[in-house]
Amino acid sequence: MGCLFATAIGSAGGRVSLLLRPPLPATRGEITVESVEGNRTCPVTLDDQNGTSRIEQLLVCTKANDITDAVAGIAHRLKPGAPILLAANGMGYLDWFDRELPDHPIYCCLSTEGAYRIAPLHIRHAGRGRSLIGSPAGLPAPDWLQDWTASFLDVQWENAINRAQWHKLAINCAINPLTALYRCRNGELARNEVLKVLVEQLCDEISIVSAAAGFGDTAATIHRDVAGVIAGTAANRSSMLQDVIAGRTTEINFITGYLLSTAERLNIDAPLHRQLLQQVTELDL
Ligand code: KPL
């Protein structure tokens, strides 16, 4: 996603540096994005956490588990007040920013764009989606948003990004852990009778927690919305299943873990989510 977003910003005239994990690839600094519409390229400066240039604006496209380490490693290079845009799954990482980088405005990006890596700096933009950017603290749309809205991606400002994030989290809580544990594609959750019942029960628990947490909209529609996403992404392997298959740590603590910490704060039990958190955590070990 980092390569896709970098190319989008580059296409709108922005200057982009990619901060990669060392060792830097032995390729020249150019991203290639393949799509049905043809190939796009974007010149970029390649850098890693040992670089010294100052960062005017930071876009973080890591897994949720890696956000804080990645940002901590380059925080000294951020210009005063540089905005930070987080494009990651799940919730629960904002407290760290409030504590460690209180002078940097934080924005979040939720995206349904589909892209996968073919080689270093070479990706395929496989599915067109929409990206929502907003400020969890309720800040107004910043000037730099124009770099995104003028790009080839469909990007919109979202005033209620917290709600949008919670809604996405709720959907991920109902789909991702089951697909990871049963190693199935999303569509199996609607075909297999046992899994279908589990999805319903997960949605019941999500609905109760959502209502108590002030997300009545998610509480009201979660069963229907999850069914719709399962149908619309039937052939997909969820991101959590992909992590399990690749032997990566899953984002369960930032998905089900965040739902459960919200439930706990509100004195609500969500036993099925608790069980799935434990089972997926065991896969991570
Ligand atoms: O967001 C997803 C994910 O896999 O993380 C869904 C919507 C479940 C699509 O696979």
Side-chain angles (χ1 to χ4, degrees):
M1 292 304 280
C3 282
L4 180 66
F5 289 155
T7 305
I9 292 167
S11 75
R15 266 185 312 113
V16 187
S17 294
L18 287 191
L19 283 162
L20 303 170
R21 282 196 189 89
L24 294 180
T27 50
R28 68 197 167 105
E30 184 175 84
I31 299 173
T32 303
V33 180
E34 285 183 15
S35 80
V36 283
E37 291 146 25
N39 284 7
R40 292 176 195 273
T41 55
C42 173
V44 285
T45 304
L46 297 183
D47 196 357
D48 63 21
Q49 64 176 31
N50 300 319
T52 52
S53 57
R54 304 299 304 278
I55 299 167
E56 276 170 44
Q57 188 189 337
L58 182 65
L59 165 65
V60 186
C61 293
T62 65
K63 287 273 177 189
N65 301 308
D66 299 326
I67 293 179
T68 54
D69 282 353
V71 176
I74 49 159
H76 60 283
R77 292 171 54 190
L78 290 168
K79 285 196 172 165
I84 301 175
L85 174 55
L86 305 173
N89 276 339
M91 296 176 82
Y93 29 77
L94 292 181
D95 289 350
W96 183 87
F97 285 89
D98 288 346
R99 239 185 4 256
E100 303 294 327
L101 296 170
D103 299 332
H104 294 272
I106 306 298
Y107 300 86
C108 292
C109 171
L110 278 182
S111 183
T112 54
E113 295 290 349
Y116 60 86
R117 199 176 96 124
I118 295 172
L121 305 191
H122 187 169
I123 62 160
R124 176 147 190 93
H125 187 192
R128 279 197 157 266
R130 168 173 292 176
S131 302
L132 301 177
I133 295 179
S135 154
L139 299 173
D143 290 346
W144 53 258
L145 187 71
Q146 284 168 13
D147 292 345
W148 290 77
T149 51
S151 78
F152 58 88
L153 296 179
D154 178 1
V155 180
Q156 286 182 9
W157 179 252
E158 172 58 68
N159 278 317
I161 197 75
N162 291 331
R163 289 192 169 276
Q165 280 187 297
W166 178 268
H167 189 258
K168 168 92 169 42
L169 177 106
I171 289 173
N172 288 145
C173 282
I175 297 177
N176 295 23
L178 284 179
T179 57
L181 288 169
Y182 290 89
R183 292 198 170 232
C184 63
R185 291 182 194 256
N186 295 355
E188 200 55 26
L189 301 182
R191 276 191 295 270
N192 179 300
E193 288 306 320
V194 175
L195 294 178
K196 234 166 123 174
V197 172
L198 290 175
V199 171
E200 286 296 303
Q201 289 173 354
L202 288 170
C203 289
D204 292 344
E205 292 183 3
I206 291 167
S207 184
I208 295 168
V209 180
S210 299
F215 299 112
D217 42 354
T218 297
T221 61
I222 189 64
H223 293 79
R224 182 161 33 94
D225 294 345
V226 166
V229 172
I230 291 174
T233 62
N236 286 17
R237 288 193 177 96
S238 76
S239 54
M240 198 172 283
L241 175 58
Q242 290 181 43
D243 286 341
V244 170
I245 291 171
R248 290 188 293 260
T249 306
T250 69
E251 297 176 304
I252 192 78
N253 287 330
F254 296 88
I255 296 177
T256 305
Y258 187 80
L259 180 94
L260 283 166
S261 63
T262 306
E264 203 173 303
R265 181 167 54 76
L266 298 164
N267 283 320
I268 296 170
D269 195 14
L272 189 52
H273 287 276
R274 208 162 9 89
Q275 185 188 322
L276 295 189
L277 173 68
Q278 194 184 330
Q279 288 175 308
V280 175
T281 304
E282 279 163 19
L283 289 183
D284 280 344
L285 298 176

